[in-house]
Amino acid sequence: MPNDRFGREIDYLRISLIDHCNLRCVYCMPLSGVSFVPPAELLQADEIEMVGRAAIAAGFRRVRLTGGEPTLRADLVEIVSGLAAIPGMGDVAMTTNRILLPRLAEPLKRAGLRRVNIHLDTLNAERVRQIMRWNDLARVWQGIEAAEAAGLTPIKLNTVVASGYNDGDVVDLAALTVARDWHVRFIELMPLGRDEAAATARDRFVSNAKTREAIERALGTLTAVPSRNPADESKNFRLPRAQGIIGFISPVSEPYCGTCNRMRLTADGKFHLCLLNDDELDVKRAIRSGGGVEAVREILLRAVDAKPTGHALHRGRSTENRDMYQLGG
Ligand code: SAM
């Protein structure tokens, strides 16, 4: 497993497959004026597999596919089966808005996908439209049911809490864990990027302390559930007599950079060293000029070595050159 300069074991690669999305969440992607990476500039399935092989050769153990919306890649099943078949690959997971899961959950499971994290900000039909803009509640449930039926479990729901949008809905989301063995995770809005969505993210921050308070006031005291994974960014809890887990991911109010185990690959072929910094190393150029797995492994190890200690939000600095939909969270 590769260690960075600060002794962190970096073994988890998040691969963004595309910057396009079929939603326009208010804090993530504007309704107009967005330009996307041209298809020829996206890493192709064989190039992604090559990066996967290099990552395993470098000591990485697992990958997660993200985007934009990864299910918009027509070659997604091929990408998953290529990555899942690499000897030593411990886990292939995906983060998705679940809209296309009714069609894709089964073939993805057969191709080797283990689990999905599903993005869901509210259970209120009106606010689904208001926040996600191109979605409705019926499609929310169909996607989750398809993931569960295909065995892409445990089901983890990711809720980004934004003041004035869904901070009033956190209790209903948390209550899902009483009868279901799901993980519902509340994520703090991160200020990053350049456009109006980034400004929304800056203005609508809600701390997880506040979210937790609202949940405990309505549903009872949370009991801590120790995580088996020391690099788990989520602090986990259970409601009284609940089947599932409630998690709080608090990158702004309680940064966990000291245990960060991640490297990110952008859809246009750059290793992005820290979500909330702009530092990147190009890997696509090496691949397209004939470099093989060994060349990619060397670049990846350099990227690990150059990973910043942590973010600098407290000093007013963040990622400026990329928006969240170009990084994948
Ligand atoms: N399309 C997929 C999805 O919806 O999960 C994967 C990509 S999306 C960028 C990944 C996650 O990032 C989503 O849960 C989304 O809500 C979250 N996200 C977007 N902008 C964010 C921000 N500024 N701060 C925190 N999370 C954000």
Side-chain angles (χ1 to χ4, degrees), residues 16 27 43 100 145 172 188 191 209 217 230 254 294 302-303 319:
S16 174
Y27 50 78
L43 284 186
L100 296 178
E145 282 160 11
D172 288 350
E188 288 179 345
R217 207 180 313 121
E254 290 182 61
E294 184 49 29
R302 264 198 280 135
T319 304

Side-chain angles (χ1 to χ4, degrees), residues 207-227:
S207 75
N208 264 337
K210 250 183 126 175
T211 298
R212 176 176 177 170
E213 206 182 291
I215 292 169
E216 290 198 301
R217 207 180 313 121
L219 300 172
T221 306
L222 290 166
T223 308
V225 177
S227 177

Side-chain angles (χ1 to χ4, degrees), residues 27-28 66-69 95-97 119 160 188-190 192 324 328:
Y27 50 78
C28 192
T66 179
E69 174 48 41
T95 297
T96 172
N97 65 27
H119 167 206
V160 174
E188 288 179 345
L189 256 183
M190 286 173 257
L192 81 167
M324 190 61 119

Side-chain angles (χ1 to χ4, degrees), residues 26-138:
V26 282
Y27 50 78
C28 192
M29 199 187 279
L31 285 173
S32 59
V34 189
S35 61
F36 297 107
V37 175
E41 293 306 318
L42 294 172
L43 284 186
Q44 305 301 300
D46 58 332
E47 295 171 327
I48 292 167
E49 186 183 327
M50 182 185 286
V51 178
R53 286 187 186 280
I56 295 300
F60 280 61
R61 290 288 163 256
R62 59 196 188 103
V63 298
R64 172 175 295 277
L65 305 177
T66 179
E69 174 48 41
T71 56
L72 295 184
R73 280 285 293 243
D75 52 358
L76 178 62
V77 172
E78 183 192 341
I79 291 170
V80 168
S81 57
L83 289 169
I86 299 171
M89 179 62 75
D91 191 18
V92 182
M94 182 172 76
T95 297
T96 172
N97 65 27
R98 41 81 207 131
I99 290 180
L100 296 178
L101 285 183
R103 176 156 56 81
L104 283 169
E106 286 287 349
L108 285 171
K109 178 71 182 178
R110 279 198 301 277
L113 189 72
R114 293 263 188 93
R115 302 172 290 123
V116 284
N117 285 5
I118 293 175
H119 167 206
L120 175 62
D121 289 337
T122 174
L123 298 173
N124 175 289
E126 177 52 33
R127 281 189 294 282
V128 167
R129 276 192 298 276
Q130 197 187 4
I131 299 170
M132 300 178 143
R133 299 198 275 207
W134 293 352
N135 198 206
D136 59 63
L137 196 57

